[in-house]
Amino acid sequence: MIITDELFRIALAKLFRSGIPAKVAVALSGGPDSMLLAWLLRNQKRRNNNLDIYAITIDHKYRPESHREAWRVHEWVKGWDINHIVKALEYKDNLDPSTMNNFEEVARDERYKVMSEICSRESIPALFMGHHRDDQLETFIQRLQGNSSIFGLAGTRSISPLPVARDLSPAESPAQGRLQLQIARPFWEFDKADILETCEASGIPYVTDPTNKDASLTRRNYLRYLIGEVIPNMCATLHTDGSTDGIDLTSPYSSIQRSELIKLHASCHEFATLFEDKAQRLSQYLHSHDLVKEYPHLGSLELTLPRPCFQETDCMVTSRFLYRILHLYSTLKHYHWAYAKLERQLVPRIAQFLEQHKPGTLKITMMNLVFEVTNNDQLDLIPMKIYRCPIVTKNAGAIEKQLSLGVEWSEWELFDSRFWIRARSRTSPKQIRIIPYLHKIHKPMVEELLLAAFRPNAKYNTLPVFLEEDTQKIIAFPTLSIGLPDIGLEYEWSLKSNRFAYCEQPSTV
């Protein structure tokens, strides 16, 4: 099927309720998907002179010819009235990317980082990518093999926030004026074959990356080969003359042919979207009724959930809501795996506790958090306190941060994967350490003048404190805005941004 300008316009209308933004970017690899995407956007620009298109080509340096190919793409699009940017990736310690075992993961993170910086600099709210239905199927099978949840099986939506691989400091985060960049995928309902057919019919040039067909190089390549060649051959009807055609419905592999996988993925996507929407409505309800109380300075929160949240299928909705809100407070290194723990362990245990109809409090430690759930059968609301689990003394050293302070602000430091902190000294240079407060150990180390004005107790355990190297005394509790007045020290702090929160489309999208 040819992807006409009209079909593309309809796809854009599904993505952007208020019309396509006036300024957009395209991730232009030079392959058929991105080249067709840039070409179709160029055609839309001819209808709308206000549309400003930026194309970003990343040279991954994986193959010797990648630099030459990137500039060949530049020659192809220079007459398309597109602002084309070519950027070569720089790898940590100048490593050769072809020697990396995790090249795909590293390159993806670096690619998103560069494109995000360009879009931020140019005030671009939407980045277009050529992901299509075949990409969805490959991801779907990967996650199916990995025992993923229904939300993992659903894959990415046709429009979603830019995935961020690391926690951004306050200087980098959208709260400091940076746009929340959206990824737009207008080819989500088109096949790879449709894209190739349109390129051929319209004479659109493109680069063919030979590594994409190497089934031994990556798991995704292998799945592409499996879906595109192996399974069709295994399902084909074999004739006596050795030729094949059609589909042999008696084949044990017919249920995993491409058409069946598309139907299965569509069902998973529909199912996951239904529960995601319900979880978002639950979030809106709880916030609007003041049933979510957050205490950023303590790194904790309190939730009050209606009892039905822990009954039957609503348990999945509750799990998804918790997943969306807890990233701020959890110190997990790979938080994206946390949903399975919530759905399969935490919420079922709470539901089982409530089913016993006994008054009391259940305390569960999971995801480096403590969940305190109180039951009173006379009430329809379930209070839940959530806070950082205790830090074992022998592990405290791994969390510490060392700062050499002068009159200029230090770099932002992420303490315990929760609090961003920076400081400076208004007087002489100063050496301090940021350590987690452990009341039994550190109370004697609190500076006497500070102790006289402030009585710390165990509820402040795990909070960051400043320890002066010279005196080995605790001189400040920065998140509580409590410190000695005469030490000439200034500090700022912020709870990390929630990379997994619900994100509304900006007004321009």
Side-chain angles (χ1 to χ4, degrees):
M1 178 181 70
I2 299 293
I3 305 174
T4 63
D5 289 333
E6 181 59 21
L7 285 176
F8 186 65
R9 186 194 63 77
I10 293 172
L12 292 178
K14 291 180 180 179
L15 294 178
F16 303 105
R17 296 186 297 268
S18 303
I20 186 172
K23 185 181 283 191
V24 301
V26 184
L28 186 63
S29 67
D33 315 330
S34 62
M35 287 296 292
L36 177 59
L37 186 54
W39 185 78
L40 288 169
L41 280 169
R42 187 279 307 266
N43 292 349
Q44 293 296 313
K45 180 175 182 176
R46 288 178 172 177
R47 295 183 176 186
N48 179 8
N49 291 327
N50 294 325
L51 182 60
D52 198 5
I53 305 172
Y54 284 73
I56 305 170
T57 298
I58 303 295
D59 174 10
H60 294 87
K61 298 182 178 178
Y62 188 81
R63 295 178 290 113
E65 60 270 24
S66 63
H67 177 76
R68 184 174 65 254
E69 289 175 355
W71 285 101
R72 187 194 310 166
V73 172
H74 179 75
E75 290 298 313
W76 286 338
V77 302
K78 67 179 182 181
W80 288 9
D81 196 16
I82 288 176
N83 305 294
H84 189 216
I85 299 170
V86 177
K87 179 71 175 179
L89 294 186
E90 299 297 333
Y91 297 96
K92 187 177 180 180
D93 300 326
N94 293 318
L95 288 176
D96 180 354
S98 64
T99 64
M100 296 180 184
N101 293 329
N102 61 338
F103 167 73
E104 273 194 323
E105 180 182 348
V106 172
R108 176 181 180 273
D109 292 344
E110 290 300 315
R111 182 167 66 246
Y112 276 134
K113 179 182 176 182
V114 168
M115 291 190 292
S116 176
E117 290 172 349
I118 293 172
C119 290
S120 175
R121 185 181 69 229
E122 301 295 339
S123 299
I124 298 171
L127 173 64
F128 281 78
M129 290 191 168
H131 298 148
H132 45 77
R133 186 151 45 197
D134 295 62
D135 293 321
Q136 296 182 71
L137 290 184
E138 292 161 14
T139 300
F140 174 64
I141 297 175
Q142 277 186 309
R143 294 179 178 178
L144 196 62
Q145 292 175 325
N147 193 28
S148 181
S149 71
I150 188 66
F151 297 99
L153 295 177
T156 310
R157 296 190 177 192
S158 56
I159 188 162
S160 60
L162 176 81
V164 181
R166 62 185 178 87
D167 292 303
L168 301 178
S169 73
E172 303 171 290
S173 65
Q176 297 298 319
R178 290 168 60 99
L179 289 169
Q180 175 63 73
L181 183 62
Q182 300 284 320
I183 301 296
R185 304 173 178 89
F187 289 162
W188 220 219
E189 297 180 359
F190 296 105
D191 296 332
K192 178 75 172 187
D194 299 330
I195 293 171
L196 293 173
E197 184 179 351
T198 308
C199 285
E200 293 301 321
S202 303
I204 300 170
Y206 56 83
V207 173
T208 300
D209 186 347
T211 62
N212 288 339
K213 293 187 177 182
D214 185 350
S216 65
L217 184 62
T218 68
R219 187 163 190 80
R220 182 170 286 270
N221 283 5
Y222 170 73
L223 292 175
R224 188 177 301 128
Y225 169 67
L226 190 68
I227 298 170
E229 297 186 37
V230 176
I231 294 176
N233 288 335
M234 297 174 85
C235 295
T237 303
L238 180 64
H239 296 287
T240 54
D241 62 357
S243 63
T244 61
D245 66 352
I247 298 295
D248 180 4
L249 297 179
T250 64
S251 167
Y253 303 101
S254 61
S255 62
I256 58 172
Q257 62 180 305
R258 190 175 185 279
S259 60
E260 294 302 313
L261 290 172
I262 289 174
K263 292 177 185 177
L264 183 57
H265 175 260
S267 297
C268 289
H269 189 276
E270 182 180 359
F271 187 65
T273 300
L274 172 66
F275 278 90
E276 189 76 85
D277 291 345
K278 285 186 175 182
Q280 187 166 11
R281 289 197 296 272
L282 173 63
S283 176
Q284 292 167 347
Y285 172 83
L286 295 175
H287 281 92
S288 65
H289 287 76
D290 199 27
L291 298 177
V292 178
K293 297 185 182 298
E294 301 188 66
Y295 305 99
H297 61 293
L298 298 175
S300 65
L301 76 161
E302 295 178 5
L303 304 175
T304 306
L305 299 173
R307 191 174 293 272
C309 286
F310 298 98
Q311 296 172 358
E312 299 178 349
T313 56
D314 283 336
C315 286
M316 186 180 294
V317 175
T318 303
S319 301
R320 197 61 179 173
F321 160 70
L322 290 172
Y323 173 75
R324 292 295 192 179
I325 199 173
L326 291 180
H327 173 252
L328 282 170
Y329 307 97
S330 174
T331 62
L332 287 181
K333 184 176 180 181
H334 300 292
Y335 184 80
H336 58 279
W337 296 111
Y339 175 76
K341 291 181 177 292
L342 294 168
E343 181 195 311
R344 300 169 186 176
Q345 298 178 42
L346 178 73
V347 173
R349 286 180 62 184
I350 296 174
Q352 186 179 31
F353 166 67
L354 297 177
E355 287 171 1
Q356 294 173 0
H357 302 290
K358 295 180 180 179
T361 299
L362 172 69
K363 186 181 288 189
I364 303 173
T365 299
M366 189 175 294
M367 298 162 49
N368 295 339
L369 293 169
V370 177
F371 298 82
E372 286 188 10
V373 183
T374 302
N375 181 43
N376 182 341
D377 269 359
Q378 305 303 313
L379 300 176
D380 291 330
L381 295 174
I382 308 298
M384 181 188 300
K385 294 181 180 180
I386 305 171
Y387 52 89
R388 171 71 157 97
C389 72
I391 296 174
V392 180
T393 305
K394 66 179 181 180
N395 296 333
I399 301 172
E400 293 184 6
K401 299 288 184 179
Q402 187 107 17
L403 296 182
S404 298
L405 303 182
V407 295
E408 301 294 331
W409 285 105
S410 68
E411 296 294 325
W412 286 100
E413 294 285 349
L414 183 59
F415 175 82
D416 194 27
S417 297
R418 295 186 294 162
F419 299 102
W420 284 103
I421 300 175
R422 68 174 183 171
R424 65 181 177 182
S425 175
R426 295 193 302 268
T427 55
S428 58
K430 191 181 296 289
Q431 297 290 324
I432 67 169
R433 281 190 291 150
I434 310 175
I435 65 173
Y437 184 68
L438 306 176
H439 187 64
K440 288 184 178 180
I441 298 173
H442 294 142
K443 181 183 177 182
M445 300 171 64
V446 179
E447 215 282 346
E448 291 182 7
L449 289 176
L450 181 60
L451 193 61
F454 167 65
R455 296 291 178 182
N457 56 56
K459 80 174 184 178
Y460 300 122
N461 276 342
T462 77
L463 290 184
V465 292
F466 288 166
L467 179 72
E468 193 174 39
E469 286 282 23
D470 292 343
T471 64
Q472 288 297 295
K473 289 287 187 179
I474 290 174
I475 58 176
F477 288 73
T479 67
L480 303 177
S481 300
I482 295 173
L484 292 180
D486 57 350
I487 56 174
L489 195 66
E490 291 183 61
Y491 47 84
E492 295 180 345
W493 71 275
S494 173
L495 203 61
K496 69 182 178 185
S497 297
N498 188 348
R499 293 192 277 124
F500 297 84
Y502 290 108
C503 181
E504 299 294 333
Q505 291 186 2
S507 57
T508 55
V509 177

